[in-house]
Amino acid sequence: MEKKLLHGGDYNPEQWLDRPDILEKDLAYMKEAGVNAVTLGVFSWSVYEPEEGVYDFSWLDTIMDRLYDNGISVILATPSGARPAWMDLKYPEVLRVNEYGLRNTHGVRHNHCMSSPVYREKVRIMDEMLAKRYANHPALILWHISNELGGQCFCPLCTKRFRQFLKKRYGTIDNLNHEWWTTFWSHRFTDFDQIDPPSKRGESSIHGLNLDWKRFTTWNMNDYMTWEIQALKKWTPNIPVTTNFMRLYRGLDYHKMAPALDIISWDSYPAWGNPGETLTDTCFKTAFEHGVMRSMKPDRPFLLMESVPSIVNWHPSNRLKRPGVHELTSMQAVACGSDSVLYFQWRKSRGSFEQYHGAVIDHLGTNDTRVFKEVAHLGQTLKDISYVQGSIAKNPAAIIFDWDNRWAIDDMAGLSDLKNYDETVQGIHKVLLEHGIDADLIPGDGDFENYKAVIAPMLYMLKPYTAKKLEQFVKNGGILLATYLTGYVNENTLCWLGGFPGDGLTDVFGMYTEEIDSLYAQERNGLAFTDSLAPVKDFAIRDFCEIIKTKSAQVMAVYTRDFYAGTPVLTKNNYGQGQAWYLGARADEDAMAVILKTICETAGISWEELPKGLEIHRRYKEGTCYTFYLNTTQEPLSYKDISLKPLETKIFYCSQSEQ
């Protein structure tokens, strides 16, 4: 890929082939806006192949040639996200079946069966035609697989594959029965062919079944995505591939899909201006999402594949980005590790579902708009800071954020409705970021050895290899903080026996939990530190309170209320060369700040007292550290000798040895 920060986005010239004047203006406006890359062909199948076996790529030839002649690179998408109507009519097996057993009719997008041999073959033919035709086109820099992959299919083909997936996973039906604990409610199976996907009209009470269906859906989607990648790599082995992930989408485990991709990219559409939160709060949430994507391939930058310079069309209320917010949020993406700011879309569609989705060029059709001018200003800014291209983050702390764990917590039939796993992880990330620590977000099977501190919030599902990795991390000198609800079940949602956290971690933490109390939403308990960590003697805790029994751990804080007042709520255990801390309750931000500060300082990680609304992110390349300072408020900020205007970003760089 060329050495530049990519700026541009989805371009749909096939919608305007009858308007050569508009296509001519597009090129002029793109150059004025500093656009250097566009994505083509995301939903172009019906134009490529209007009838089965009848192809027309001539318009794409012309567009790609003209883009290249004007210095604009191309990210070429495969068009598999939406099929032409002729295919659904002739080959109905390509249509998905919903959980009620009804086959969908033609329409919308992502309505295809991932298992369908017919659909896969049609996709292969199309992808190979594109790859062969444009393999040597100088504009092509990246393949974009389909678009926002998602959904599930319950058709006979997928059901058969699901049973094969289970048989490979468990080997025998007896093993499956044991791991799913099917003797309960007399749910034992005697043959894999008796197992159907979970649904509202059938079985949905077996946690192992529900979890394995989600795992299968990811496996099947990944298998399908890899099918597309293989078709492209056959003809263009040196062109990297990506697909655009959707924030923290619950339907697929992105950690499992990341290895097949050369570059991670994602679509970011926060509700900027949401009256329920400040701009700073929205920025913190978005930084978390950038961190999740960045951490999937920490050795390389990611791409912001879709964003919007103005509004979307699908939020409950589609509020305009206020002046200056677009540049701030785009610079935040770069600060967090992105090598691009790309949009959906370049020009607003005249009709259909996304005709009011924001774009660089509005229906007005001119460059004399606030949005265009802000985009053009950003384009120049990105050109000016192209030196950060290729740099990566190297963060000293990590938080475990695991899709399997999310699914297991979501499906857990117990405790309360206040599980809030995502919000809990985001809250910890926010406290760290408020103090200058941009933590990575890694899965339970991620690599821990490069970090000084690891935080494992609500690690309900404790897989054997995760337990061993955590133990080794602490033994080798790492500082580990785990919280309530850690290590309750194994990878198949069977409860660990012998005390939580299970699988031997009670020795690492030097404690075990005997009971867990779920508080009502309005209830609060209290936390008091037993030493001089904080002057406050009664920090608020809520939602969950575990009753802890110590073995070798030191008590660092106790409950202040209820029948378990005076018993441990925070413990510390020296283990090997490191420390394992355990927090048995959900603490508010002020208490978490005290705990996390202690953890970080123990690990040798700098804890900074930043002005409210200041974000600091760092990227590294060839011995140089680039430090980004972002003011996410509407007021001027000062930090040390740095002054920031409202919504301003400044970048300073130095050698790593000078940090």
Side-chain angles (χ1 to χ4, degrees), residues 247-322:
R247 301 180 74 177
L248 307 180
Y249 177 62
R250 290 189 119 74
L252 296 171
D253 183 346
Y254 287 155
H255 289 133
K256 296 294 190 295
M257 300 178 70
L261 300 167
D262 297 311
I263 298 172
I264 301 300
S265 65
W266 78 288
D267 301 346
S268 177
Y269 294 112
W272 301 110
N274 176 3
E277 61 188 21
T278 66
L279 176 63
T280 294
D281 289 336
T282 308
C283 283
F284 279 133
K285 288 183 179 179
T286 307
F288 174 83
E289 292 164 349
H290 285 312
V292 171
M293 299 300 161
R294 175 189 67 225
S295 303
M296 291 184 195
K297 286 189 180 292
D299 62 337
R300 66 198 70 177
F302 66 93
L303 296 180
L304 178 60
M305 184 59 71
E306 289 186 23
S307 60
V308 67
S310 53
I311 57 174
V312 299
N313 71 321
W314 43 266
H315 284 160
S317 180
N318 296 295
R319 201 161 191 256
L320 290 172
K321 277 185 174 178
R322 269 37 192 175

Side-chain angles (χ1 to χ4, degrees), residues 40-264:
L40 295 175
V42 176
F43 296 117
S44 301
W45 199 327
S46 63
V47 184
Y48 289 152
E49 191 179 9
E51 301 176 33
E52 185 174 17
V54 177
Y55 300 97
D56 179 14
F57 300 104
S58 59
W59 64 273
L60 185 60
D61 295 343
T62 301
I63 294 293
M64 287 187 65
D65 289 346
R66 297 195 66 199
L67 287 167
Y68 180 73
D69 290 342
N70 284 272
I72 300 171
S73 300
V74 170
I75 301 167
L76 190 55
T78 63
S80 54
R83 304 167 314 286
W86 60 258
M87 188 185 300
D88 292 348
L89 181 64
K90 185 172 182 180
Y91 306 104
E93 79 161 45
V94 305
L95 290 160
R96 288 184 186 172
V97 172
N98 66 24
E99 63 179 312
Y100 296 101
L102 299 175
R103 192 172 293 276
N104 295 341
T105 58
H106 175 76
V108 294
R109 58 182 190 172
H110 302 298
N111 186 15
H112 58 269
C113 170
M114 295 76 74
S115 303
S116 166
V118 170
Y119 187 61
R120 289 194 179 208
E121 180 60 12
K122 290 295 183 183
V123 168
R124 183 196 64 77
I125 292 170
M126 175 58 67
D127 288 0
E128 288 200 19
M129 291 188 74
L130 288 169
K132 284 189 287 185
R133 191 177 188 94
Y134 300 107
N136 298 311
H137 199 290
L140 180 63
I141 60 170
L142 179 66
W143 286 112
H144 181 313
I145 303 297
S146 194
N147 179 71
E148 295 184 335
L149 295 168
Q152 51 192 341
C153 179
F154 296 80
C155 76
L157 291 170
C158 288
T159 298
K160 181 179 179 180
R161 292 195 105 200
F162 178 48
R163 292 166 178 163
Q164 293 169 344
F165 172 86
L166 294 175
K167 189 169 185 178
K168 183 176 181 180
R169 177 174 175 81
Y170 293 103
T172 68
I173 198 68
D174 287 340
N175 286 339
L176 179 144
N177 280 315
H178 179 270
E179 292 302 306
W180 287 5
W181 213 248
T182 55
T183 305
F184 185 81
W185 281 2
S186 193
H187 280 165
R188 287 185 63 82
F189 300 101
T190 57
D191 193 283
F192 284 97
D193 287 340
Q194 297 168 1
I195 302 173
D196 290 319
S199 73
K200 293 177 182 177
R201 68 188 185 102
E203 181 60 81
S204 62
S205 65
I206 300 175
H207 298 313
L209 168 65
N210 298 339
L211 180 61
D212 278 333
W213 173 252
K214 293 180 183 296
R215 288 168 170 162
F216 163 76
T217 299
T218 292
W219 174 85
N220 202 25
M221 187 68 78
N222 197 43
D223 184 68
Y224 164 78
M225 182 184 74
T226 304
W227 176 272
E228 288 215 53
I229 291 172
Q230 290 171 346
L232 299 173
K233 289 289 189 179
K234 177 180 178 181
W235 301 99
T236 56
N238 297 321
I239 301 296
V241 297
T242 191
T243 193
N244 48 337
F245 290 155
M246 298 179 287
R247 301 180 74 177
L248 307 180
Y249 177 62
R250 290 189 119 74
L252 296 171
D253 183 346
Y254 287 155
H255 289 133
K256 296 294 190 295
M257 300 178 70
L261 300 167
D262 297 311
I263 298 172
I264 301 300

Side-chain angles (χ1 to χ4, degrees), residues 272-394:
W272 301 110
N274 176 3
E277 61 188 21
T278 66
L279 176 63
T280 294
D281 289 336
T282 308
C283 283
F284 279 133
K285 288 183 179 179
T286 307
F288 174 83
E289 292 164 349
H290 285 312
V292 171
M293 299 300 161
R294 175 189 67 225
S295 303
M296 291 184 195
K297 286 189 180 292
D299 62 337
R300 66 198 70 177
F302 66 93
L303 296 180
L304 178 60
M305 184 59 71
E306 289 186 23
S307 60
V308 67
S310 53
I311 57 174
V312 299
N313 71 321
W314 43 266
H315 284 160
S317 180
N318 296 295
R319 201 161 191 256
L320 290 172
K321 277 185 174 178
R322 269 37 192 175
V325 172
H326 175 58
E327 181 144 343
L328 170 71
T329 58
S330 299
M331 290 299 290
Q332 183 195 44
V334 176
C336 289
S338 176
D339 267 2
S340 73
V341 177
L342 302 170
Y343 312 115
F344 181 84
Q345 49 192 328
W346 167 254
R347 179 181 287 273
K348 278 189 178 179
S349 299
R350 191 173 182 189
S352 202
F353 184 75
E354 292 183 300
Q355 69 188 117
Y356 295 113
H357 193 291
V360 180
I361 302 296
D362 207 306
H363 295 132
L364 187 63
T366 77
N367 58 351
D368 188 21
T369 65
R370 177 181 68 88
V371 168
F372 182 90
K373 292 173 182 177
E374 289 200 15
V375 167
H377 185 270
L378 176 67
Q380 183 60 50
T381 300
L382 295 176
K383 184 177 180 181
D384 293 342
I385 64 166
S386 59
Y387 52 82
V388 307
Q389 189 274 342
S391 57
I392 60 174
K394 295 179 181 179

